[in-house]
Structure formats: C-alpha cells, structure tokens
Amino acid sequence: MIYTLGLTKDQQLVENFPLEHIKEDRFDWFWVDFSEPTAKENLLLHTFFQFHPLAVEDALMRLQRPKIDYYDDYYFTVVHKLNPKELTSEEISLFISSKFVVSYHQFPVHEFEIVKRELESHPNRWDRGTFFIMYQTIDKIVDEFFPLVFTIEDRLNTIEDQLDYKNSVDLMNDVFDLRNDLLHIRRTVLPMRDLLYRILNSNRLNLTQKEKAYFSDVHDHLVKLTEMVESNRELTADMRDSHMSMNAIRMNNIMMTLTIVSTIFIPLTFIAGVYGMNFVNMPELNWHYGYYFTLGLMVFIVFAMLMLFKKRGWLGFFKDD
C-alpha cells in the first residue's frame, strides 16, 4: 500500500494523491510511504523515483544495520524499531531530501500514524517539512523502547526482593529470560545511538542548530536507554553470581554434614566389624558386661567427636538452617 501526503505551494496539506502529481511541481514537499508494498510497488523505487540501485537493494533486503548513506541530492537512512512481542529489530528505510521523504517498510508502523496526526493537527509545523517527518519518526520509535525497559526493570526489582536460595530456581529462570530480553533490546538501542551520533556530527546534512537540538534530544534518550539496559544487565549478573554463591555455600554445608556423619560412623563401624567376626578366642564375647561396655564406648566416641568438631567451629553452619 502506498500513502501520499504533500504540502502544496499555497500551504494546503493534501493526502492520498496519485504519484504522478509529484511531477507537477505543485508541492513544497511531499511524503510517500510504502507500507507492506507489493512486488509491483517495489519497482517504483527504481522506475518512478530512480533511486540509486544500492540504496534500493538495501531497502528491499533485510539485515541492514542502522546507517546513513549520502547520494547526490538525497540521503538514505535505515532505522530500527523493536517488535514489542518478540523483541526483534524491524527495519524502516527512509529516502530524504529537502523536497521529499520516501519511507519503506515491510510491516505496519504505527509511529507513522502518529506523525501523520501530528502534521494534520498542527498546521504551524508544516513549514518544518521533511526534517519534521524524519525527526518525529525516529523520536516516536525511540519512545517505544522505554516501556519495554521499564517493564523489565520493575520485574527485576521484584525478583531481587524475593530471591533466596530456598526458592531461587524458578526465579533465576526468569532472570535469565529477562537478561536475554535485555540483550535483544541492546542490539537495537546501541546501533540506533550510533546512528544519531553520526547524524549530529555530519556536515553533509546541513542541519541548523535548531534542528540539531531536536536530534540531540533523541540521542540523549538513546544514551539513557543504553545506561538503563547496561545497569539492568549488571543487576542480572549480580543476581546470577549471588545465586551461584548461595548454591555453592549450600552445597558446602551439605558436603560438610555428610562428611561429619561419615567420620563419626568410621570408628563405630570399625568396632562393630571387629566384634562381628565371632572368633572363638575373643574374651569380650563371653564377658557379661561386654555388650553394654561396647555401646557405651560407641556413645562416648560420638560425643567426643561432636565436641571436637564444635571446638574447631565445624558445626557452625547448623545455625543457618
């Protein structure tokens, strides 16, 4: 589907006009939006607008990083937006000059609808032309990143309050899922931040100081998003390390318990093994108090070993349980 919007020389905003009217030189600027275009509509980038083949190829093919390329009388930029459900990057291509904006995307972009309403409801902004469309598009895309990051941040704070070694398995699975989501967001935010930096520092765009101020504001938002993503990733790393440390401590306590039990039973097993051989020449077997003496000796050994372990501080871990 192709949407057209243009500002005529008598300052009238016109929508959905045929593409052929562009050549009549009746517009101060115009915007053509290719939304989920057909194969026949794709050909118009070549045949009607005669954009550079490399730029058209980049627009039609996926897997482009956010970038800006310069041509004779226009420039071509690729920006990324996030799919809120899958957290995957979706590409939007923009061909921009002082006279036109041609946007191309293979999926619905509701940010464009917001920009269109901005243009329709604020006639005083029409004179900003293609700059306003480019800025508003990127700004609205960046604004959509914040709710996703805020949601993850709130979830991590909740998990941090609930986390302990007794019920940490399910919570840590959530932490790893959120860390993966942050990675997906990071892969989109960082290249977008670099793109805005190149736009701000480019001498070929001829941006005025007023225009740079708008793009600088978007760049600041991306810097803030980057800091939030990195901070939350560090939080997930700290929670992961704490989880591993708590599990290691718990495992050490279990091994200590098993070791103490095994150590106590070694002399008891030895005594039981000796007197369980039933040799004929074993005087203790015929002793009237032999059985009681042996049980008493075993109890004494257990008590003595526990006292020794306590004196050396090996039983201190029982206090935490």
Side-chain angles (χ1 to χ4, degrees):
M1 183 180 68
I2 297 178
Y3 169 84
T4 55
L5 177 71
L7 182 67
T8 63
K9 293 186 179 298
D10 57 355
Q11 301 300 297
Q12 297 296 317
L13 202 63
V14 182
E15 289 186 274
N16 294 316
F17 54 85
L19 280 179
E20 291 74 16
H21 289 186
I22 293 173
K23 298 180 178 180
E24 298 176 1
D25 196 29
R26 56 186 287 234
F27 295 102
D28 275 347
W29 56 263
F30 61 86
W31 176 16
V32 179
D33 181 35
F34 288 77
S35 178
E36 302 178 89
T38 63
K40 183 178 179 180
E41 291 171 340
N42 287 338
L43 293 176
L44 295 175
L45 297 176
H46 278 295
T47 59
F48 186 84
F49 292 100
Q50 297 182 346
F51 291 133
H52 195 283
L54 290 177
V56 174
E57 181 183 359
D58 288 344
L60 297 179
M61 301 294 292
R62 301 292 301 275
L63 304 177
Q64 297 293 324
R65 284 178 60 85
K67 66 173 185 175
I68 184 167
D69 293 332
Y70 303 94
Y71 296 93
D72 292 338
D73 54 351
Y74 65 92
Y75 51 94
F76 170 75
T77 184
V78 176
V79 298
H80 282 184
K81 74 182 294 292
L82 271 174
N83 183 317
K85 294 182 179 180
E86 301 177 0
L87 293 182
T88 54
S89 297
E90 297 177 337
E91 297 175 16
I92 301 172
S93 300
L94 299 172
F95 301 85
I96 304 172
S97 76
S98 59
K99 293 294 184 180
F100 65 82
V101 173
V102 177
S103 54
Y104 180 94
H105 47 97
Q106 299 177 356
F107 51 89
V109 179
H110 73 275
E111 288 85 356
F112 281 140
E113 299 299 324
I114 299 175
V115 176
K116 293 170 188 175
R117 290 196 297 268
E118 288 276 352
L119 288 169
E120 294 168 356
S121 59
H122 297 87
N124 59 317
R125 297 178 179 176
W126 292 350
D127 58 345
R128 301 181 186 180
T130 57
F131 154 75
F132 179 76
I133 296 174
M134 178 184 177
Y135 158 71
Q136 284 288 338
T137 298
I138 297 177
D139 183 55
K140 297 299 183 292
I141 289 173
V142 172
D143 287 345
E144 292 296 317
F145 295 165
F146 279 99
L148 299 174
V149 178
F150 286 145
T151 300
I152 293 176
E153 189 174 62
D154 292 342
R155 178 61 182 147
L156 284 174
N157 290 333
T158 301
I159 292 175
E160 187 179 26
D161 293 337
Q162 298 175 349
L163 193 62
D164 60 60
Y165 77 86
K166 294 181 180 178
N167 63 353
S168 62
V169 176
D170 293 336
L171 292 177
M172 286 309 301
N173 289 334
D174 292 341
V175 170
F176 291 135
D177 290 339
L178 293 174
R179 183 176 175 83
N180 188 53
D181 292 343
L182 288 169
L183 178 61
H184 287 299
I185 296 175
R186 184 175 183 269
R187 288 174 178 171
T188 300
V189 171
L190 287 182
M192 285 292 292
R193 184 194 65 181
D194 295 340
L195 172 64
L196 265 295
Y197 179 83
R198 291 196 296 272
I199 290 175
L200 284 172
N201 292 275
S202 173
N203 295 324
R204 301 180 63 178
L205 295 179
N206 297 319
L207 296 176
T208 65
Q209 288 300 118
K210 183 177 180 180
E211 291 170 342
K212 284 187 176 181
Y214 283 99
F215 283 103
S216 179
D217 181 67
V218 179
H219 181 261
D220 289 342
H221 289 170
L222 287 166
V223 171
K224 181 179 179 180
L225 279 166
T226 303
E227 293 174 349
M228 292 175 62
V229 169
E230 295 298 338
S231 175
N232 286 321
R233 278 173 56 82
E234 290 178 4
L235 178 59
T236 59
D238 291 342
M239 295 169 69
R240 177 195 60 197
D241 294 342
S242 298
H243 170 71
M244 294 177 64
S245 297
M246 287 188 294
N247 279 345
I249 293 172
R250 188 183 183 192
M251 184 60 67
N252 288 338
N253 289 344
I254 293 173
M255 294 304 298
M256 179 73 78
T257 303
L258 295 177
T259 301
I260 289 176
V261 172
S262 300
T263 303
I264 290 174
F265 271 89
I266 287 174
L268 304 185
T269 305
F270 172 76
I271 294 173
V274 169
Y275 289 103
M277 292 185 290
N278 292 321
F279 286 116
V280 175
N281 295 322
M282 293 185 72
E284 294 87 351
L285 295 180
N286 297 318
W287 185 27
H288 180 74
Y289 298 102
Y291 172 72
Y292 304 103
F293 176 81
T294 304
L295 287 181
L297 178 62
M298 289 182 176
V299 171
F300 174 78
I301 291 173
V302 171
F303 181 77
M305 293 183 73
L306 287 175
M307 290 298 99
L308 177 63
F309 295 155
K310 183 176 181 181
K311 182 178 180 181
R312 298 200 173 193
W314 295 351
L315 301 180
F317 59 89
F318 286 120
K319 297 178 181 179
D320 297 332
D321 296 335

